[in-house]
Amino acid sequence: MPIKVQNDLPARAILESENIFVIDEERALSQDIRPLEILILNLMPVKEETEIQLLRALSNTPLQVDCTFLMLSTHISKNTSASHLNKFYVPFEKIRRRKFDGMIITGAPVENLEYEEVNYWEELKTIMEWTKTHVHSTLHICWGAQAGLYHHYQIPKYKREEKLSGVYRHKVLHHKVPLVRGMDDYVMVPHSRYTEVRRLDIEKHPQLRILIESDQAGIFLVMKEDGSQIFIQGHPEYDRMTLNNEYHRDVKKGLTPALPCNYYEGDDPFARPLLSWRNVSNTLYANWLNYYVYQTTDYILEMDRED
């Protein structure tokens, strides 16, 4: 699938080196096609790394995707330059009248805080509420999934006794649901988090369905029955080296992190990590774009009228 990106977005060169089909703005305008409009709220600290991961994950269907990156006005990023944000990201006020086929809300390293303690929580609540009328289907990742479940359904999160880090075996529960179509009975998925949501709380809401879970890692994939809200409590978009970088970063800080589970061959932290989740990641994102965005969204996306 061609991913439409701004001509000089740094992620473009990396994606092209991986033979991912990327088209620039001029070529996209010459094609007689209505691309899917996907809005990405990138809350991760190292934003350029997350841009690459998400654009890669979105590149595995024959659909054309036009991605817009959204930034918060109430939070200043410490790990991404202001010039990068100003050039490639837009504030909410600039797009609030637009409608989008799909949206992705990423995770963020704030899970040990109460939601109300996060300095951008009020703005995030406004955006999550806005998605109900302006986005056809919204995908929430990791802390973004926990935040979405809390905001929309008052489902609490719980602190784990120790950090969950590694690649875990999950069971696919409902093969007939298009979101998990084509997946094996069991899939491997990365996790990196200190908190969790639990089955009993989700089951109190009949409009939510648990699609994938793990005996070790707990809930992974939850969907609202109509597909308008999808919650991923994990990181299928992670690169091969992401957990490795997190682990060695913590070691350098003088911490004593546990070795990521099911990740290094022979549990050697200096060995090349095993990549065992790329297929489930590609399948999940392709199914979301196809069945819950492309097949059901309106052909013409209208804007709100001026007040």
Side-chain angles (χ1 to χ4, degrees):
M1 165 184 63
I3 293 281
K4 178 189 169 188
V5 298
Q6 290 158 281
N7 295 348
D8 47 357
L9 182 73
R12 178 180 175 178
I14 296 173
L15 295 170
E16 288 179 330
S17 72
E18 298 176 7
N19 291 322
I20 290 175
F21 188 10
V22 179
I23 60 175
D24 59 29
E25 296 163 303
E26 286 80 7
R27 184 174 178 188
L29 288 171
S30 70
Q31 296 185 331
D32 187 17
I33 188 173
R34 207 281 268 175
L36 295 178
E37 298 285 347
I38 305 297
L39 183 65
I40 299 175
L41 177 55
N42 185 358
L43 302 174
M44 294 295 280
V46 186
K47 300 195 184 303
E48 294 182 47
E49 179 178 307
T50 304
E51 291 162 12
I52 295 167
Q53 293 173 357
L54 290 177
L55 292 173
R56 182 189 294 119
L58 293 170
S59 69
N60 286 282
T61 82
L63 307 170
Q64 186 186 122
V65 175
D66 186 353
C67 294
T68 300
F69 288 98
L70 178 65
M71 65 179 176
L72 298 172
S73 300
T74 51
H75 177 73
I76 298 175
S77 177
K78 298 178 182 178
N79 299 283
T80 302
S81 69
S83 62
H84 182 87
L85 293 174
N86 292 334
K87 188 171 186 177
F88 300 112
Y89 284 67
V90 297
F92 179 61
E93 280 304 308
K94 189 170 182 178
I95 55 89
R96 68 177 182 84
R97 292 182 54 243
R98 289 178 57 187
K99 294 190 177 181
F100 290 84
D101 299 301
M103 180 175 183
I104 297 173
I105 300 176
T106 74
V110 294
E111 57 188 304
N112 286 324
L113 297 175
E114 296 299 326
Y115 295 112
E116 292 78 7
E117 295 174 343
V118 176
N119 63 5
Y120 51 79
W121 178 245
E122 291 301 319
E123 184 178 9
L124 180 57
K125 283 199 308 180
T126 298
I127 293 170
M128 289 191 292
E129 198 63 25
W130 170 87
T131 65
K132 291 163 34 174
T133 54
H134 289 74
V135 180
H136 188 67
S137 180
T138 303
L139 194 71
H140 310 70
I141 302 173
C142 203
W143 181 82
Q146 295 178 354
L149 288 168
Y150 178 71
H151 173 71
H152 294 297
Y153 303 99
Q154 297 74 55
I155 292 174
K157 65 177 179 179
Y158 301 88
K159 190 162 185 176
R160 295 176 53 86
E161 292 184 5
E162 58 184 24
K163 183 179 180 180
L164 185 74
S165 177
V167 186
Y168 298 88
R169 186 173 184 255
H170 298 67
K171 185 175 183 179
V172 179
L173 303 177
H174 300 284
H175 281 285
K176 291 185 179 180
V177 175
L179 189 60
V180 296
R181 186 170 292 170
M183 292 187 186
D184 295 330
D185 289 340
Y186 288 89
V187 295
M188 302 295 288
V189 182
H191 289 264
S192 177
R193 52 186 167 84
Y194 292 92
T195 56
E196 64 185 4
V197 294
R198 295 177 180 172
R199 168 179 273 275
L200 289 178
D201 294 317
I202 295 170
E203 289 178 333
K204 295 175 183 177
H205 301 271
Q207 67 270 52
L208 297 178
R209 179 182 284 195
I210 298 170
L211 300 181
I212 302 178
E213 67 178 338
S214 165
D215 290 339
Q216 289 179 288
I219 301 299
F220 169 62
L221 183 61
V222 178
M223 184 184 79
K224 188 179 179 183
E225 288 285 359
D226 64 1
S228 63
Q229 295 172 338
I230 295 167
F231 306 93
I232 300 173
Q233 193 182 217
H235 285 287
E237 80 286 354
Y238 265 11
D239 291 335
R240 179 194 298 270
M241 303 302 291
T242 305
L243 287 173
N244 174 79
N245 296 340
E246 290 180 0
Y247 172 77
H248 287 287
R249 176 200 63 202
D250 289 347
V251 169
K252 289 180 179 178
K253 288 181 178 179
L255 305 176
T256 55
L259 206 64
C261 185
N262 302 318
Y263 184 54
Y264 294 111
E265 192 163 11
D267 280 341
D268 176 3
F270 297 99
R272 181 174 170 81
L274 299 172
L275 181 61
S276 58
W277 62 91
R278 181 61 55 81
N279 182 63
V280 68
S281 177
N282 290 344
T283 301
L284 177 59
Y285 280 91
N287 285 348
W288 173 60
L289 284 176
N290 184 23
Y291 297 115
Y292 297 92
V293 181
Y294 173 70
Q295 298 288 351
T296 55
T297 194
D298 294 331
Y299 181 75
I300 298 176
L301 293 176
E302 296 182 352
M303 293 182 66
D304 289 344
R305 294 182 179 180
E306 292 282 7
D307 297 337

